Amino acid sequence: MSRIIYYSKEDLAYTHMMEQINSYFLNKKHEAVAETINDVLERHNIIQYIDNGFVYIGWTDVDVIFYRGIIKSFKKD
């Protein structure tokens, strides 16, 4: 499995990571318990993307608000 890694906006690899984040949410992986340190790091990277204003091109404003709510629970973990 390929993990989500944080890239800055200057690095075009972030577009591929945004597609992976979209798949992460669509496949409901956010509902699973983070069991390993790699799971926690992956969630941290997702937080970095969302907090830094990265948005998947297919997300609506409602989706963005919903996903921001999800990452709040990631921060608690």
Side-chain angles (χ1 to χ4, degrees):
M1 180 178 143
S2 178
R3 294 287 186 165
I4 297 168
I5 301 168
Y6 181 76
Y7 294 102
S8 67
K9 286 189 178 183
E10 290 79 30
D11 191 332
L12 295 178
Y14 83 88
T15 57
H16 176 66
M17 290 297 118
M18 290 307 299
E19 291 174 6
Q20 283 190 299
I21 291 171
N22 185 53
S23 294
Y24 184 90
F25 287 126
L26 290 178
N27 294 328
K28 300 190 184 281
K29 292 181 181 178
H30 60 278
E31 294 176 355
V33 176
E35 295 177 353
T36 67
I37 188 69
N38 290 330
D39 295 336
V40 174
L41 290 173
E42 186 171 43
R43 288 180 176 192
H44 174 74
N45 290 332
I46 293 170
I47 291 168
Q48 292 299 313
Y49 278 111
I50 304 296
D51 282 350
N52 286 306
F54 290 83
V55 176
Y56 181 68
I57 196 164
W59 290 350
T60 64
D61 291 339
V62 174
D63 292 334
V64 173
I65 292 168
F66 178 72
Y67 296 142
R68 285 187 190 273
I70 291 172
I71 67 165
K72 283 183 184 180
S73 68
F74 287 176
K75 289 178 182 180
K76 291 178 186 175
D77 292 342

